[in-house]
Structure formats: structure tokens, C-alpha cells
Amino acid sequence: MTAASGPTAVANAGEPRQAALTADRCFHCGLPLAGTEAVRAKVAGGERDFCCRGCQSVCEAIYAAGLEGFYRRTPEGEVLGPPPEPPKQLALYDLDEVQAAYLDTSADLREINLHVEGIHCAACVWLIETGLSKLPGVEEARVNLTGRRLRLKWDNSRQRLSGLLGRLSEIGYAAVPFDPETAEGAIKRGNRALLFRMAFAAFAAMNLMWVSIALYAGADEGEFRGLFHWIGFAIATPTLIYSGWPFYRGAWLGLRQGALTMDLPIAIGASITYLYSLYVTVGGQGHVYWDTVVNFLFVILVGRFLEAMSKRQAMASTQRLLDLQPKIATLLRDGEEVVVPIRAVAIDDILLVRPGETIPADGVVSEGRSEVDEAMLSGESEPVKRGIGDRVAAGTLNGAGVLEVRVTGLLRDTALGRIIRLVEDAQSSKAPIQSLADRIVPWFVALTIGLALTTFGLWISRDLETALMAATSVLIITCPCAFGLATPMAIAVASGLGARHGILIKQGAVLETLSDIDHFVFDKTGTLTEGRPEVIQLQTVAARPDGLDEQGQSAEPSALDAGWQAWPAAAVLDHREREHLRLVAALERVSEHPLARAVVRLAKDAGIGLGSAQVRDVQIEPGAGISGLVDGYRVLIGTRGWLHENGVACQTSVDGERREAPASPLGTTLHCAIDGVECLRLLAADRLRADAAEVVQRLQTDGIRVTLLTGDREAVARRIAAQLGAIEVIADVRPEDKDRVIRALQQRGERVAMVGDGINDAPALVRADVGIAVGSGTDVSIASADIVLMSTELMRVPDAAALSRRTLGTIRQNIGLSITYNLIMVPLAMAALITPLVAAISMPLSSLAVIGNSARLRWLFKQDAGSSAKRGHFGG
């Protein structure tokens, strides 16, 4: 709702400005009362007339809340329509089941984005923010005037959402939760309106063409000269009002907020040409340019429409992701199949997914086996096998099997929903270079107007008509649209491209930062390696803790047994060794560490049951070990040093020398002690990812330093580094020290990117200039990262770096195109060598060139498809 010229207030006194209204206009919105069923009510100490009950209610609510300052802030003479129809059944929005589609309902402090109808000006922003902020429980109310969106944060225990929506209705606005599909519909409506204005201008241009032909054929000197001029006036006037309205509105809104927008030169140019033609028509001397006015508007609107369609196409990745979300699901309820809307599905419901159907929600397979195409999520083209207990994601495509899926995430809380939010955030964010461009654009417009005035001054001494046409050409041709589009278009295309290929960029600024990175630091476990270590060898110690020897005698520490055994070796484990392994695996079962899971798998492979073990008093020392009581025995598992710190002496061999594990490039030795005596050693090994060495080579080829950051011993880390191409090594780093290592590198002046996947990587990911989390990582590491790789392919790391460099290069090219265009065309316009119509044709071409150049980013993946299809990545 815009301000009214109705009960606005005098700025110095704050009194209603009734004098500004005639008796035949609505006291609130200022629309004429004629033809309406006028309503009379007592407001602000007097009887007031309103055009409808809606205006009466809104005005009464504004005065009752002490918000009459709204009218004082309303621009003089501005008229608005009656308030929009409020949404029905507001109470439904109080249900957590309904709110869950738009926000997190797990806490009382909630935040939602609302789409608000009726917002038109800064006074509306003030009224909404002030009116809501006064309500109890409202923490924040922030309006985006351009997007007509309201970000609302409130305490749900003190204030219901229906009350907030009702309050907005009372003061004249209709608000509903923001839905991307609704927003997409609004974009389509805007483009359709632009198309109608363009069609109107085209119709007028065709008719004026006949008038122009007649004038050029000699009618300009004949008795019908005045008639043709007035016909041109009759056609051009409605065209300027209707088709030119977006430019005038944009220029006016900018001036009201103290900003020089890109619409201002266009509005001035069209107005000058129109007014000069009107002057000639009335005065009878000179040439009219009605056809120039209409053709100019038509060409500009064609350019705007093509820009809108091109931008929508370039940013269509979000819509394509939205299209992946099914609108319905097949629900299994009491053994019956029921087709329901996706919004009717709840957590823990069981869904039936038939062959070839899209999985409608995140969940866990409870019945069935199939192959699932997860290309939209991870970028991997090969389907993955999914069975009972495996997770599946919304938007992925089921193969030939039938699945029953227990729902764990819906709509915005699915992996697809999070991807969409990340892409939207990235596309709406600003890189530092864009902030600079935004600051330059107003000065660019001011310079344009200055150049137009200079041009007029240079030519006025020769000919008024030439001076006006040259100045108008300068105004039109120096439009800074291309400059303003240079950065946001490139970022929008790049973030959408990355999302489609498994690279999620959270903020546009990251692309600029990543392009300057000169040092990549990789965590080892789960990042460079597959993150699934297996116990490949074990060694037992001849010592037997009390109660565990075969004869029931107390065992004394002794020498090591005959050395390391390759696994699997379950057949050769005696009763004592199996009991040791049972206690160790029972303790490791409570840990999420990959090495712990390897030990548990070892016990299961050996046929050792863990279900009856009682585990308590568990303590975990990250990067060192784990301890606890298992069936009454004190069990410690960890590094040699950590066992020593806890009073456990590692055993020696018969010749008095310590026997280490056999050489293994990725081996990690776990020392296990029971009741203070070391009894078992396990050698766990993890495999390097298949593309790890190639990733390192590609980064080094680009001149980037690569470092391996690990908690392993120096010797083990060096052996790993040798396989990866002699990269730098930082070893023996405890998890809590990773952040310190990154900070030390930064203090040396290096621009550092950290690549990791674990919870203990989160501080380092935040500390780094750019944090990159691999798709197999934890929620914590993903939340801490700036870029998330949805697949486990490490090749996406240099892919992301290449994308960032290409994006920054494209931004610079776009800015260069814009500057070059103006350097060439402005002097021509100032020299009166370009007419306004030619200027109107040239201006949108510069913007389309920027859009087209940005769209070339989409070929980044395709260019390398032929040369590196086997690798499944794109080149830089």
C-alpha cells in the first residue's frame, strides 16, 4: 500500500493535512468518492469520508496505534488504492505443521520471510517496521522495498504469527509466507506486463511510421502538416504515459531516495524529445520527433524484455532445482496407498516410491533395494545402490526397484531445500567488486547528465534542434545498465552452474576470494583418503590382564607375540584374543571416529558379539584416544604417547627393542590396553581417493601450493605426501591446533583455502580465507564452510578454483565491455553523429553483450567434457 494524499500531516505540527484534500476524495487513499458507496466515520477528531470499509479500518488502526506519522512521510499528492484483500484463515499459519514448510519450528524464537502486497514507497517501509516493532514478542521487522519482502523475527511463545499477519492487514497490507514458486510467478507477471507495454509501443510505432512516411513525402510542407503533427501527438502521448511509465517510476523512486538510477537518463531523454515535438506542434516551426519518442521507447522496452528473459534464463538454476521437488507423494497409511500433496507429508511417514519416480522427501529406506540417480545432488552420473538403512534425498530419481522410505526431512529441510537456499543466497549476495560497481553507478549517471548538458551547450549556438537531439542521444547511449549488470550476472550464472555440478557456493564474495588463493591445505582422513579405514594387521601381547588368562591365573606382563598378522585372521584368534577384541570394539562402538568404526567392523567380521557389553565412564581425547569401563575392565585405546600419559607402558619384544608396525603408507597404529596393561595393537589403513594425486598435480600446475595437514606421525605423513607428488606436510597436529596452523600461514601473508570434512575441521574451515567441505563431511563442517562439494570427488576442488578464476575474469571482461562501449559511443553522440533512435538501439546491445558474456560461463563444464570425460570434471 502506498501513501495517500489523504490524512497526511503537516511536517512541523503533525496535524492532519485535510486541506490538501477535496471533499470528493477518500480521507485515507485519496481516490475519488464518486461512483463508490462512501463510508463516513469519526477519525482524528472529525467526520471523515472513505471510499470503502477497508480504507476506514486501515485509517482507524493507524491512528489508534499512534502511527499517523505514516501520512507525514507520504509524498505530497501521492494517491493509492484501497488496501489489498487480506489472506484467508490466518489461524492456519499458527500450526507448526504449516510453518514447518517455511521456517524452523524447533524453537520459540522464529524467523520467516513474508511476501507483502501493497508496499510501494519508503513510507510503507516505515509504517510496517514501526507498526510491527511495537508488538510484544517481535524481535525484528525488516522490509526489502525492492523485493516487497518482510523478514520477521519473533518469539512464538509471546506472539502468534496469525496476530502479526492480522496486524499487517489492519494497517493495509496483505502478507503471506514467501514461497520461491510464488516469487517465480511474480517474475513472470512482471515480464508479461513488460511485454504488454512493449506491444503497445510497437503498435504505436507502426502507426506513426505511416505518419512519418507522409511527412517525409512532402506533407511536412503542405496544408496537412498540422494535422499529421497532432495525429503524431495523439499516438505518442498515451505511448509515453503507458509504455514509458516504468522508466518514470524508476527515476522518481530513485530521486525520492536520493539516488540517481539508470532510469533517469532514459526518462529525461524521452521527455526532452516529447516536449520539443510538442513545442513544434503548437508553434508550427521545426521538425517533430513523435516517431523518435515512440520508436525509442519501443527499442528500449525490447532491450529490457530481452534482458529480463536472458537474466531469467541465466539464473534459471534455482527454478530447475525447484522443479526437481515433486508436488505429490504416495503415502502408505494402514497398508493403503494414498496420494497426497507433499505439504501433507509428515516426518516418519512411510512413502512408496515406484520405479522411475522422483523421491519426494529426504528419508531412510525401510524396505526394498534399487539404484538411485543422484546426479542433481552430487553431479555424479552413475546411479548408486540403495537398500535398507541407506539414506535417500528428495529430488533424486529412483531406478528399477520399489522403495519404501521413512521420511526424515521435508521441503526446506531437505538436502534439495538447503541447496536452493544456498544458491538463492549466493545469487543475491554481493562480491566486493560489485559493491565498488554499485558505488560508481550513481556517479556514472551524474556524469551522463553532465555530458548531456555540455553537449547541449556546445550545439545550442548553432541549432536548438540539433542541440536537443545530440543531448538526448548522449543521455540514452551512456546508460550504465551494462556496468550495473557486470558483476551480478556473472555471479548468478557461476553459482547456478556450480550448484548443477555439485559445487555449492554460499556467498558470491567467495568466488572473488577463491580466485586469489595461493595455498590449499588438505585434511587427510576423509578428505584425501576415502574416510573408511580398515584394520589390515593386528598384533597381540603375551600379557594377560587379571581374569582373562586361559587358566584363570593372574597374568604378568611379558614379551610381544610372534609379530604382526595379516587380517582377516579370525580363524587364528584364540579365546583370549577374541575377548580382548570384544572389549576394545565395545568401547569403540560409542565413538564416531572412522578408526573406531573400523575396529567395530573387525569384531563383527570375526563373529564377536557386542550386544551384551556394558560401557560407561567414556572419555574421548580428540586426536589421542578413548577410555572407558567395559564390563568392569578399564579399557584405553589410542596413540603410544597417550597410553604412556595414562600410565600404560608399551610392551617390548624379546630382544628388548620396540617392535613397530610394518611399513604402510597410510597405516595408523592403535595401542589397546586393559586394566593398565597393553594387550593388543591394530594397524588400520585408509586408501587415498582415486583422484587425489591428480587433484594435487592440477593445483600445482596452476601455481598453487598444496599442504597435507594431519595428526599422523611425521614418517607416515611423509609417505602419504610422496604418493601425492611431494607436497608439503604439517604432521602431529592435534585437532584443536588446526585453527592455529591456518592462522600461522595467514600471518605469513598467504591466502589459504582449507579442505576438510570432520567436526574437528570446523574451526580451521572458518579461520581459512575460504573453507571447502567435501560432501561426505559432517553437518558441522558443512555449516562452517564457504563452499560445499556435494560429491566425494576431490576433483571438484580445482574445479571450484577454476570456476572462481573464470568468474572474476568474466566480471572484468563485462566491466571492460561497458567502459569500451561508452568510450566509443559517447563521443559520437556528443558530435551529433548519432540520432536518439540509433542510441536507443545501441544502448540495450551493451547490456545484452554483458549478459551473453556471462552466459559463456555455462560452457566451462562443456569445454572440458570431451578432453576429460573420463575424469568427470571440467578444466580451468
Side-chain angles (χ1 to χ4, degrees):
M1 157 186 152
T2 45
S5 58
T8 45
V10 177
N12 57 356
E15 298 176 356
R17 201 174 51 178
Q18 293 94 340
L21 287 175
T22 59
D24 61 344
R25 288 187 174 271
C26 175
F27 183 73
H28 170 69
C29 72
L31 291 176
L33 296 175
T36 67
E37 296 182 5
V39 179
R40 179 173 286 264
K42 188 172 182 179
V43 177
E47 293 291 328
R48 315 295 180 192
D49 291 323
F50 300 92
C51 65
C52 63
R53 294 283 181 187
C55 283
Q56 173 200 346
S57 300
V58 169
C59 186
E60 289 175 343
I62 289 174
Y63 271 92
L67 298 173
E68 57 272 17
F70 162 69
Y71 299 111
R72 188 165 54 250
R73 290 166 173 80
T74 300
E76 178 74 29
E78 185 160 334
V79 179
L80 47 79
E85 187 72 19
K88 306 295 184 183
Q89 296 179 313
L90 292 180
L92 289 177
Y93 291 110
D94 292 335
L95 300 176
D96 285 350
E97 293 81 1
V98 175
Q99 291 188 19
Y102 307 101
L103 54 92
D104 182 5
T105 59
S106 60
D108 285 333
L109 187 61
R110 299 181 180 183
E111 186 173 335
I112 192 172
N113 281 316
L114 300 174
H115 180 75
V116 185
E117 292 185 31
I119 295 180
H120 294 292
C121 64
C124 297
V125 174
W126 177 87
L127 179 60
I128 292 173
E129 292 180 349
T130 306
L132 291 180
S133 298
K134 290 185 175 181
L135 298 180
V138 176
E139 299 284 334
E140 181 185 40
R142 194 150 36 91
V143 176
N144 181 327
L145 177 61
T146 304
R148 297 182 183 180
R149 286 167 66 176
L150 167 65
R151 180 181 290 273
L152 190 61
K153 185 182 294 184
W154 83 101
D155 186 342
N156 197 58
S157 64
R158 299 176 58 198
Q159 182 67 255
R160 309 300 290 178
L161 181 57
S162 61
L164 299 173
L165 298 178
R167 181 58 173 170
L168 285 170
S169 297
E170 290 175 1
I171 59 177
Y173 304 92
V176 294
F178 175 76
D179 188 335
E181 293 183 6
T182 302
E184 178 71 13
I187 293 173
K188 289 181 179 178
R189 288 194 297 272
N191 289 347
R192 187 165 59 248
L194 192 62
L195 182 62
F196 289 158
R197 296 182 192 275
M198 182 180 70
F200 189 90
F203 177 77
M206 286 187 291
N207 284 277
L208 266 175
M209 180 179 66
W210 296 109
V211 174
S212 300
I213 290 174
L215 291 172
Y216 293 142
D220 196 32
E221 304 295 335
E223 59 180 313
F224 296 107
R225 178 177 185 272
L227 175 63
F228 281 118
H229 283 185
W230 284 109
I231 291 175
F233 166 79
I235 296 175
T237 300
T239 305
L240 183 68
I241 294 173
Y242 177 68
S243 297
W245 169 247
F247 308 110
Y248 286 103
R249 183 175 184 275
W252 172 243
L253 290 176
L255 290 173
R256 280 178 51 193
Q257 299 175 34
L260 301 179
T261 66
M262 302 174 188
D263 290 320
L264 184 59
I266 298 175
I268 294 175
S271 299
I272 290 175
T273 310
Y274 176 85
L275 291 174
Y276 178 75
S277 299
L278 181 60
Y279 166 78
V280 172
T281 299
V282 174
Q285 298 297 323
H287 298 285
V288 294
Y289 291 92
W290 298 123
D291 57 337
T292 299
V293 173
V294 173
N295 289 335
F296 159 65
L297 289 174
F298 171 65
V299 171
I300 295 292
L301 286 170
V302 169
R304 285 283 176 96
F305 182 74
L306 291 177
E307 278 184 37
M309 297 304 295
S310 298
K311 285 191 285 187
R312 185 165 177 262
Q313 178 66 26
M315 299 179 65
S317 55
T318 303
Q319 181 58 36
R320 283 193 290 270
L321 289 171
L322 286 170
D323 293 340
L324 292 172
Q325 172 67 65
K327 304 299 184 290
I328 60 173
T330 303
L331 186 64
L332 291 179
R333 185 177 293 162
D334 298 328
E336 298 290 331
E337 298 179 12
V338 182
V339 178
V340 298
I342 188 61
R343 293 187 185 278
V345 177
I347 300 296
D348 288 332
D349 278 349
I350 302 297
L351 303 180
L352 179 66
V353 185
R354 295 185 175 87
E357 290 184 345
T358 300
I359 297 174
D362 281 8
V364 177
V365 178
S366 58
E367 288 292 338
R369 302 189 68 84
S370 183
E371 289 188 339
V372 177
D373 183 355
E374 298 181 346
M376 54 72 57
L377 197 65
S378 64
E380 296 178 352
S381 58
E382 290 296 322
V384 293
K385 294 182 179 179
R386 292 287 182 254
I388 296 176
D390 292 333
R391 292 186 174 274
V392 291
T396 55
L397 188 65
N398 184 31
V402 177
L403 297 177
E404 292 183 13
V405 178
R406 180 176 59 81
V407 177
T408 59
L410 289 164
L411 298 172
R412 66 185 300 275
D413 293 323
T414 63
L416 178 60
R418 290 190 290 271
I419 291 173
I420 292 172
R421 286 203 304 277
L422 286 175
V423 173
E424 288 178 337
D425 290 344
Q427 291 180 339
S428 62
S429 64
K430 291 186 179 182
I433 194 171
Q434 181 181 352
S435 300
L436 174 62
D438 290 345
R439 290 195 298 270
I440 290 175
V441 164
W443 294 100
F444 195 107
V445 176
L447 178 63
T448 298
I449 296 173
L451 289 173
L453 291 173
T454 301
T455 302
F456 181 81
L458 291 174
W459 286 98
I460 187 63
S461 60
R462 174 184 293 188
D463 181 6
L464 174 62
E465 183 174 322
T466 302
L468 285 173
M469 291 302 101
T472 301
S473 298
V474 171
L475 285 171
I476 297 168
I477 210 160
T478 51
C479 178
C481 298
F483 194 76
L485 287 171
T487 299
M489 279 305 306
I491 288 178
V493 174
S495 56
L497 175 70
R500 291 201 307 275
H501 291 83
I503 303 171
L504 293 186
I505 302 160
K506 292 187 178 180
Q507 293 292 328
V510 174
L511 288 168
E512 186 172 343
T513 306
L514 184 58
S515 66
D516 293 330
I517 292 297
D518 54 20
H519 194 166
F520 271 82
V521 177
F522 286 85
D523 176 55
K524 188 202 77 173
T525 304
T527 304
L528 286 173
T529 65
E530 294 179 352
R532 186 181 170 86
E534 299 289 346
V535 176
I536 58 172
Q537 293 177 333
L538 58 85
Q539 184 184 40
T540 59
V541 179
R544 301 189 181 106
D546 289 346
L548 292 181
D549 62 310
E550 296 176 5
Q551 290 79 26
Q553 302 296 322
S554 177
E556 296 297 332
S558 180
L560 294 175
D561 281 349
W564 291 84
Q565 306 174 52
W567 185 259
V572 300
L573 293 180
D574 59 25
H575 170 75
R576 173 175 59 87
E577 292 165 339
R578 293 174 65 84
E579 184 63 12
H580 290 172
L581 184 56
R582 184 185 74 85
L583 296 175
V584 168
L587 178 60
E588 291 283 34
R589 188 173 54 173
V590 304
S591 172
E592 291 297 321
H593 195 282
L595 290 174
R597 293 194 289 267
V599 174
V600 173
R601 285 194 296 272
L602 171 66
K604 289 182 178 179
D605 291 343
I608 299 173
L610 307 176
S612 62
Q614 300 295 317
V615 182
R616 57 188 179 90
D617 296 342
V618 177
Q619 294 184 347
I620 298 176
E621 183 72 23
I626 182 173
S627 65
L629 288 175
V630 183
D631 290 343
Y633 295 99
R634 190 70 183 174
V635 181
L636 288 88
I637 311 164
T639 65
R640 178 193 295 275
W642 189 71
L643 260 66
H644 181 74
E645 291 175 8
N646 284 273
V648 178
C650 293
Q651 304 303 310
T652 59
S653 63
V654 292
D655 57 6
E657 297 293 332
R658 298 189 184 277
R659 190 192 302 269
E660 293 293 343
S664 174
L666 302 181
T668 299
T669 303
L670 292 176
H671 297 263
C672 309
I674 300 176
D675 283 349
V677 178
E678 185 184 20
C679 61
L680 191 65
R681 292 178 187 174
L682 305 174
L683 177 63
D686 200 356
R687 288 193 299 268
L688 281 174
R689 294 190 187 275
D691 54 357
E694 187 179 1
V695 167
V696 170
Q697 181 183 7
R698 185 170 160 193
L699 290 172
Q700 290 176 333
T701 301
D702 293 334
I704 298 173
R705 292 176 57 197
V706 181
T707 295
L708 171 64
L709 182 64
T710 177
D712 287 346
R713 289 176 292 113
E714 183 83 15
V716 174
R718 291 290 177 192
R719 288 196 293 268
I720 298 172
Q723 294 188 69
L724 294 172
I727 63 176
E728 300 177 31
V729 171
I730 302 177
D732 291 315
V733 179
R734 296 172 72 88
E736 62 269 22
D737 292 332
K738 291 182 179 180
D739 170 65
R740 176 185 55 78
V741 170
I742 298 298
R743 184 171 62 249
L745 293 174
Q746 291 172 325
Q747 289 172 348
R748 284 158 37 184
E750 299 181 10
R751 304 274 289 173
V752 182
M754 173 71 188
V755 187
D757 76 319
I759 292 176
N760 54 27
D761 295 325
L765 291 171
V766 174
R767 171 70 61 183
D769 295 289
V770 176
I772 302 176
V774 297
S776 58
T778 63
D779 290 341
V780 175
S781 65
I782 291 173
S784 304
D786 302 301
I787 296 176
V788 180
L789 309 180
M790 296 308 295
S791 73
T792 57
E793 291 183 42
L794 269 186
M795 194 55 70
R796 295 304 183 196
V797 173
D799 286 351
L803 179 61
S804 69
R805 290 193 298 272
R806 184 70 67 86
T807 302
L808 195 65
T810 299
I811 291 172
R812 289 169 176 159
Q813 291 170 6
N814 289 345
I815 294 174
L817 281 171
S818 174
I819 294 175
T820 302
Y821 161 82
N822 285 286
L823 288 176
I824 294 173
M825 302 303 290
V826 171
L828 294 176
M830 294 183 70
L833 297 175
I834 293 178
T835 67
L837 183 57
V838 173
I841 294 173
S842 302
M843 187 270 288
L845 292 180
S846 64
S847 298
L848 292 175
V850 165
I851 295 172
N853 190 51
S854 299
R856 287 194 314 117
L857 282 168
R858 288 182 292 184
W859 290 92
L860 191 58
F861 282 89
K862 298 177 183 177
Q863 285 175 348
D864 200 59
S867 61
S868 57
K870 293 181 180 180
R871 294 181 295 170
H873 70 280
F874 64 93

